[in-house]
Amino acid sequence: MFSSLISLLMPGKSKAATAVLAPDILVDVRDVGPGTDSYAPVQACIDFCNWCRQDAGLGLEEVAPDAWRCYFVDYYRAQVSNGGHAQFAGNSGLRPRVLDFIAEGLKAMEASEFLEIFEEFRHAMDRDPALRRRTVESGGFGDIPDVIEALDRRFFALNSIWLLVEHTSAWVTTRPTWTPLPPSELAARKTAILAGSRSGRRR
């Protein structure tokens, strides 16, 4: 579902020289049409982000920011749902840009209860280097700090697996960049992105 965070966050072109080559979230209309479940739009966005990074070789700044907000909010949900905030910390490395995308996404989605938990987690990591180190090193196993376990309990009490999916799905599908397309048009748009990416690399 998610490609490597390390590959997603590899340094790319400088921001000053970077154009947004994928300004829309391009998805196959068949994947998000009637009869699909509430996770389908989120998965379609994740697939698009993975395609941008892996196939098109785009950096974060070359893709519609809302695509990454959707991607990383669901990454946060999946990691915490599987192994708590300590697993999220260990696997994400608490990279600032990832944390920013999550905070921006949760705020834009008006997922206030989740945003409150996430901001408390982030502040705890920022203000206590020893707690941060212990949390990251645990990776969700063994000795989990009490403050992290308390945040996990609050997260799970929100019926987090599906409620946050619903927040994310409802939000991403109303973005002006959300663009479901028939297969032929989708292929043509992706071909244009690939051409732009190759041209940029040649320059």
Side-chain angles (χ1 to χ4, degrees), residues 32-168:
V32 295
T36 57
D37 63 29
S38 60
Y39 191 67
V42 181
Q43 184 62 61
C45 184
I46 290 169
D47 292 342
F48 175 67
C49 289
N50 288 339
W51 178 86
C52 285
R53 188 57 188 162
Q54 296 170 359
D55 293 70
L58 302 182
L60 292 177
E61 295 80 15
E62 295 174 306
V63 180
D66 282 342
W68 295 121
R69 291 174 185 127
C70 174
Y71 182 101
F72 285 114
V73 165
D74 198 61
Y75 178 82
Y76 167 67
R77 177 203 62 79
Q79 290 290 311
V80 177
S81 295
N82 186 60
H85 283 82
Q87 177 177 299
F88 166 74
N91 288 343
S92 71
L94 298 176
R95 293 173 175 82
R97 195 64 191 103
V98 171
L99 302 182
D100 287 345
F101 276 128
I102 295 167
E104 292 163 10
L106 290 173
K107 183 176 181 179
M109 295 170 195
E110 299 183 350
S112 57
E113 293 174 299
F114 291 100
L115 179 61
E116 181 179 347
I117 293 168
F118 178 76
E119 288 185 334
E120 287 186 31
F121 166 75
R122 190 174 186 179
H123 292 159
M125 296 295 96
D126 288 344
R127 69 174 175 259
D128 189 337
L131 175 65
R132 179 189 181 102
R133 183 173 57 255
R134 184 179 163 199
T135 302
V136 170
E137 289 176 352
S138 76
F141 299 95
D143 183 21
I144 309 299
D146 291 345
V147 65
I148 302 303
E149 289 190 332
L151 290 171
D152 289 347
R153 287 193 294 271
R154 287 170 56 191
F155 185 93
F156 293 128
L158 296 175
N159 188 22
S160 54
I161 294 177
W162 292 113
L163 180 57
L164 193 48
V165 165
E166 290 167 5
H167 274 298
T168 308

